[in-house]
């Protein structure tokens, strides 16, 4: 049986709730099981890509470091909604493997994947 | 004739992923109603996976206010009536105090807190459930 293509939409801010962490954990687990995954950061989820957050000072694991490890799991389809990125004023020091995409590309991504899981 | 009927309405395999807490909004209630509707329409639902805050649905001591719906009992009834597996993500569950006998050390004096009808499992189970599914629905993401 052919493997299903999964798209993970990560749309929650990194701190304040544990959902962002649960999403990244799930993405990495799928990749560790050799499942083809794509990732899209959208809405407040783009804040997960912001550099320089010292999460340990609030007793949390550094989510950005987990995201930075995605290429080690052979995750190369990582996208970010360009509109959300500019709405949150993010442009510098984003992970180099993340591609900013417009609404058309996001629609195409939705259509290409078998399942969409949103965290 | 059954074959003709099935070709018009193909049976689909569903998997549900629930993420929000039973005491936080109506998400888990919507999810159990959708689960029920899926089965009543003749589709397949084998696994509901609870992750993050949704894992507190499996806490044995969960007690909703009397004037609200006993959401845990609705899930338990669904599992009992239709053999749906209710799986709680182990990492999310134990950090919220939901633990079965297997999650407690053998010499522990603590009692298991896992409610009847629920199981604790790993993300591997979500992976195989989404792999087998024609449709995956997320609640509370």
């Amino acid at each position: 049986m052919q493997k299903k293509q999964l798209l993970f939409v990560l749309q929650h801010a990194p701190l304040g709730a544990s959902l962002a962490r649960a999403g990244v954990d799930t993405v990495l687990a799928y990749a560790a099981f050799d499942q083809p995954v794509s990732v899209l950061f959208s809405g407040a989820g783009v804040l997960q890509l912001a550099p320089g957050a010292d999460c340990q000072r609030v007793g949390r694991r550094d989510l950005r470091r987990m995201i930075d490890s995605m290429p080690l799991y052979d995750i190369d389809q990582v996208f970010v909604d360009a509109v959300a990125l500019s709405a949150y004023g993010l442009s510098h020091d984003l992970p180099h493997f993340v591609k900013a995409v417009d609404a058309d590309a996001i629609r195409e991504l939705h259509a290409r994947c078998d399942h969409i899981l949103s965290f | 004739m059954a074959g003709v009927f099935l070709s018009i309405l193909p049976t689909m395999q569903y998997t549900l992923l629930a993420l929000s807490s039973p005491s936080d909004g109506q998400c888990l209630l919507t999810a159990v109603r959708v689960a029920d509707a899926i089965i009543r329409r003749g589709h397949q639902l084998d696994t509901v996976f609870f992750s993050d805050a949704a894992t507190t649905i499996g806490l044995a001591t969960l007690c909703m206010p009397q004037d609200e719906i006993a959401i845990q009992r609705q899930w338990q009834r669904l599992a009992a009536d239709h053999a749906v597996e209710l799986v709680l993500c182990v990492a999310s569950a134990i950090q919220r105090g939901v633990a079965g006998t297997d999650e407690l050390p053998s010499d522990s004096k603590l009692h298991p807190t896992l409610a009847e009808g629920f199981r604790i499992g790993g993300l591997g189970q979500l992976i195989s459930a989404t792999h087998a599914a024609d449709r995956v629905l997320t609640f509370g993401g």
Side-chain angles (χ1 to χ4, degrees):
Chain A
M1 199 154 97
Q2 212 183 346
K3 285 179 179 169
K4 298 259 163 80
Q5 293 283 336
L6 269 94
L7 170 64
F8 287 86
V9 181
L10 306 182
Q11 51 191 354
H12 287 269
L15 297 170
S18 52
L19 200 53
R21 165 85 199 262
V24 173
D25 276 340
T26 309
V27 169
L28 297 181
Y30 269 81
F33 278 88
D34 275 334
Q35 302 296 309
V37 297
S38 304
V39 183
L40 171 68
F41 292 92
S42 74
V46 300
L47 292 169
Q48 297 180 32
L49 303 173
D54 188 353
C55 300
Q56 285 187 343
R57 290 177 69 177
V58 289
R60 293 282 157 205
R61 192 154 163 212
D62 192 339
L63 202 61
R64 169 66 195 266
R65 265 170 55 189
M66 292 170 68
I67 293 166
D68 284 339
S69 75
M70 283 180 176
L72 301 175
Y73 289 80
D74 290 328
I75 304 170
D76 53 6
Q77 300 288 305
V78 188
F79 307 96
V80 56
D81 178 0
V83 176
L85 209 53
S86 75
Y88 282 93
L90 295 174
S91 55
H92 297 296
D93 298 324
L94 302 173
H96 64 89
F97 54 90
V98 177
K99 263 186 293 246
V101 286
D102 63 10
D104 283 341
I106 291 171
R107 262 192 295 277
E108 195 265 331
L109 190 62
H110 285 167
R112 176 150 50 90
C113 293
D114 296 307
H115 296 318
I116 301 173
L117 274 60
S118 56
F119 282 82
Chain B
M1 281 310 282
V4 175
F5 183 69
L6 283 176
S7 67
I8 300 166
L9 263 178
T11 303
M12 291 221 185
Q13 177 78 48
Y14 281 79
T15 292
L16 306 189
L17 169 66
L19 298 170
S20 68
S21 159
S23 39
D24 190 13
Q26 77 295 345
C27 244
L28 287 194
L29 184 61
T30 307
V32 76
R33 286 173 174 168
V34 169
D36 194 54
I38 286 169
I39 293 163
R40 273 190 289 112
R41 286 295 182 96
H43 298 293
Q44 279 288 117
L45 177 67
D46 294 343
T47 308
V48 179
F49 197 86
F50 299 84
S51 186
D52 200 52
T55 50
T56 50
I57 189 70
L59 193 58
T61 48
L62 184 72
C63 189
M64 300 302 279
Q66 276 197 347
D67 54 352
E68 292 190 13
I69 292 173
I71 175 76
Q72 187 185 59
R73 205 168 310 140
Q74 296 215 356
W75 281 106
Q76 287 168 326
R77 204 172 301 145
L78 181 91
D81 292 352
H82 305 289
V84 181
E85 283 225 81
L86 307 178
V87 185
L88 312 179
C89 168
V90 59
S92 301
I94 58 173
Q95 64 177 292
R96 290 172 176 83
V98 188
T101 326
D102 292 346
E103 284 69 46
L104 295 173
S106 54
D107 59 348
S108 174
K109 291 198 173 66
L110 299 172
H111 294 289
T113 53
L114 181 65
E116 201 185 314
F118 295 88
R119 283 200 319 107
I120 291 185
L123 280 166
Q125 269 162 292
L126 176 64
I127 294 168
S128 54
T130 52
H131 188 64
D134 300 304
R135 295 283 185 273
V136 179
L137 304 176
T138 312
F139 292 85

